[in-house]
Amino acid sequence: MTHRQILEALTGLLAAFFTAILSSTIVANALPTIMSDLHGSQTDFAWVITAALLANAATTPIWGKLADLFDKKLLVQLSIVIFVAGSVLAGLSENMPTLLTARVIQGIAMGGLTALAQAIIGTIIPPRDRGKYSGYMGAVMAVGTAGGPLLGGFIVDSPLGWRWTFYICVPLAIVSLILLQITLKLPHVRRPAKVDWAGSVLLTAGVSLLLIWVSFAGKAGYYDWISGVSALMVGGSVLLLAALIWVETKVSDPIIPLKIISQRTTALAIVASVAVGIAMFASSTFLGQYYQVARGATPTEAGLLTLPMIVGNLLGSVVSGLLVSRYGKWKRFLVGGAILLIAGLGFAGTMDHQTSFVLVGIYTFVFGLGLGMMMQNLVLAVQNTVAAKDIGSASGSVAFFRTVGGAAGVSVLGAIMGSHVTQLITDGLAAAGVPVAGGNSAGTLDIASMPAPIAMIVRAAYGDGAAMIFMVSAVISVVALIAVLFIKEIPLRRTIDVVQTAPVPAKA
């Protein structure tokens, strides 16, 4: 395919991918209003996010495997149709069960769009040229991840209302569906289709149980991290995943390709992706909370303040992708990205509720740059080592572990932050001579109604709490640096399939 043909094909694909990413982040600043209108509880608040993440994580490798067996274009169009149905249902929701059902449907579609977009890029573009196009995909991910809260805050503050945070994605999805039909021309080689249904069920059940556990462990009204319920949930998840591994060694077309993910490059890329996923989710989740709670910004202002991170991510993804395609070297960008990620998060770990916004912007720009340099290049490194027929499974596996690791990590970090903030507020109030009844000092975030001295204590606590989360994320990111240091750099092939680059045997 020529450069023009590739760009035409990518137009609809990137539009669909952007829609999926946007839908997962745009709802963040609308949640308080949604909970108020639909009479949702704190549990419902958490489940609006968790339900979509669960469905996304559990179905990503399934979609990836289906991409290796069936027509990728048809599958990505099916994902878009499912997504539109979920978005319309979410916008029409009049109660929490309906909204949560819609979020699961959206999550299933987002898992498909994420896995299929990477698989299609891997199918039509040789690894040597894939860097710059993967850079475009990383840029779309960056803008969607960080720009979603900004757009969501604007919509909520406008006369449109929160329902349009769901409706706004529908026309984008329909446009991408039309563009895909017109521009995406993919050859499909028919293969015997043997879907690993047992593996699919075990994977979904094991991952869902694990993510449910980390989502609610340690929260008031649920169960402690170390308790009988936790033991049952973790034990059940381990048994289900052990059964999954056993099944995957027996079937001919496994959902999780053990032979691929056990390879050195893929295994190390997965380890790095988990750490990167934690950093990516933590930055988008806790940075917005830092701006709104610790610094008193409105949802729209908080979105604008994330622009340095967006710019850093955009530049890191696009520039590193172009340079990878030009020189054929990718490991140096993974190592450099990991160093920038650690440095940026480490500096962000020194922030408090009075840190200059200029400094905060610099810190977020640096770790955004690191994220942009790593995310798509990790996928590229894996795709370069596998045959074209396995690209869907390999890409889906990396995205799967990144999502699961990120979701689990953020849940744990959120629990740590909640405990730390509560202690800081309690200590601050005690030092100010204010009695604290029942240890519920962090029970409300309605800071505007608090007396100024108490509001300052709460803002300081959330500023310090967010800083601690960034510092912990920096330490976790060291794992990503170690992993990429041990990855062996394999030259990027100039052909689509690895088989075509095999050496020709010498004549006798």
Side-chain angles (χ1 to χ4, degrees), residues 274-288:
V274 170
V276 169
I278 293 174
M280 179 178 70
F281 278 79
S283 61
S284 60
T285 301
F286 298 111
L287 187 61

Side-chain angles (χ1 to χ4, degrees), residues 416-501:
I416 293 172
M417 180 173 175
S419 176
H420 185 57
V421 166
T422 299
Q423 187 61 50
L424 289 173
I425 294 176
T426 301
D427 293 345
L429 294 176
V434 178
V436 180
N440 194 33
S441 52
T444 177
L445 290 180
D446 188 12
I447 298 177
S449 64
M450 296 178 183
I454 295 179
M456 184 61 68
I457 292 171
V458 174
R459 292 192 190 282
Y462 273 91
D464 293 344
M468 185 192 71
I469 293 303
F470 286 119
M471 188 62 75
V472 173
S473 298
V475 174
I476 295 173
S477 297
V478 174
V479 175
L481 175 59
I482 295 172
V484 298
L485 284 173
F486 283 97
I487 289 180
K488 182 180 179 181
E489 184 163 36
I490 301 173
L492 296 176
R493 62 181 190 264
R494 295 182 180 275
T495 54
I496 296 292
D497 204 335
V498 68
V499 176
Q500 298 178 28
T501 62

Side-chain angles (χ1 to χ4, degrees), residues 19-386:
T19 303
I21 297 298
L22 186 70
S23 71
S24 64
T25 59
I26 194 173
V27 73
N29 287 330
L31 279 178
T33 305
I34 294 174
M35 291 301 105
S36 175
D37 281 2
L38 300 185
H39 309 291
S41 64
Q42 182 63 36
T43 304
D44 295 326
F45 184 98
W47 267 103
V48 171
I49 302 297
T50 304
L53 279 177
L54 277 172
N56 187 340
T59 58
T60 295
I62 298 173
W63 283 107
K65 187 60 188 179
L66 292 176
D68 291 334
L69 298 175
F70 301 102
D71 188 341
K72 295 178 180 63
K73 179 176 178 177
L74 181 62
L75 287 172
V76 76
Q77 289 175 318
L78 176 62
S79 297
I80 294 173
V81 172
I82 294 173
F83 175 80
V84 169
S87 298
V88 171
L89 181 61
L92 295 173
S93 298
E94 296 294 340
N95 53 56
M96 289 309 304
T98 304
L99 178 60
L100 293 176
T101 301
R103 291 293 287 169
V104 170
I105 295 172
Q106 281 188 311
I108 292 171
M110 286 188 286
L113 290 171
T114 302
L116 291 163
Q118 294 173 337
I120 290 173
I121 287 179
T123 301
I124 64 177
I125 308 169
R128 179 59 189 267
D129 301 323
R130 201 174 296 157
K132 57 185 176 184
Y133 299 108
S134 294
Y136 299 154
M137 188 172 176
V140 168
M141 180 181 288
V143 175
T145 300
L150 171 60
L151 180 59
F154 174 78
I155 290 174
V156 172
D157 289 340
S158 75
L160 292 174
W162 65 264
R163 295 183 186 276
W164 275 92
T165 59
F166 298 108
Y167 292 148
I168 195 69
C169 296
V170 173
L172 292 175
I174 294 174
V175 168
S176 67
L177 186 66
I178 296 171
L179 287 173
L180 279 169
Q181 182 61 34
I182 296 172
T183 62
L184 186 59
K185 309 297 181 184
L186 284 179
H188 174 58
V189 180
R190 289 187 175 275
R191 296 172 55 194
K194 297 180 180 179
V195 180
D196 177 17
W197 295 114
S200 302
V201 172
L202 289 170
L203 174 67
T204 303
V207 171
S208 297
L209 187 58
L210 184 64
L211 287 182
I212 290 170
W213 171 64
V214 298
S215 296
F216 297 105
K219 290 183 171 62
Y222 292 93
Y223 42 85
D224 294 331
W225 287 100
I226 301 177
S227 63
V229 175
S230 289
L232 286 173
M233 296 182 76
V234 174
S237 179
V238 170
L239 288 175
L240 289 167
L241 294 177
L244 169 67
I245 294 174
W246 182 81
V247 168
E248 300 306 85
T249 62
K250 303 297 181 182
V251 297
S252 57
D253 281 310
I255 287 293
I256 299 292
L258 299 180
K259 289 183 179 179
I260 294 177
I261 67 173
S262 61
Q263 294 175 4
R264 176 176 173 176
T265 297
T266 308
L268 290 172
I270 285 173
V271 171
S273 292
V274 170
V276 169
I278 293 174
M280 179 178 70
F281 278 79
S283 61
S284 60
T285 301
F286 298 111
L287 187 61
Q289 188 177 48
Y290 168 80
Y291 283 131
Q292 292 189 55
V293 180
R295 306 307 296 267
T298 65
T300 304
E301 290 169 346
L304 289 171
L305 288 167
T306 62
L307 285 176
M309 184 179 72
I310 300 175
V311 173
N313 206 323
L314 185 67
L315 288 175
S317 182
V318 174
V319 174
S320 69
L322 291 171
L323 292 175
V324 166
S325 290
R326 172 173 293 185
Y327 299 109
K329 303 291 185 180
W330 48 266
K331 182 173 178 177
R332 63 190 64 179
F333 297 103
L334 291 178
V335 174
I339 293 172
L340 288 172
L341 183 60
I342 294 168
L345 290 170
F347 283 126
T350 65
M351 301 185 310
D352 59 26
H353 66 293
Q354 295 179 324
T355 302
S356 165
F357 280 127
V358 174
L359 280 179
V360 176
I362 293 172
Y363 300 159
T364 58
F365 172 82
V366 171
F367 72 66
L369 195 63
L371 281 173
M373 293 171 66
M374 293 194 72
M375 284 193 296
Q376 295 309 309
N377 286 326
L378 283 170
V379 177
L380 173 64
V382 172
Q383 290 181 341
N384 186 52
T385 65
V386 301

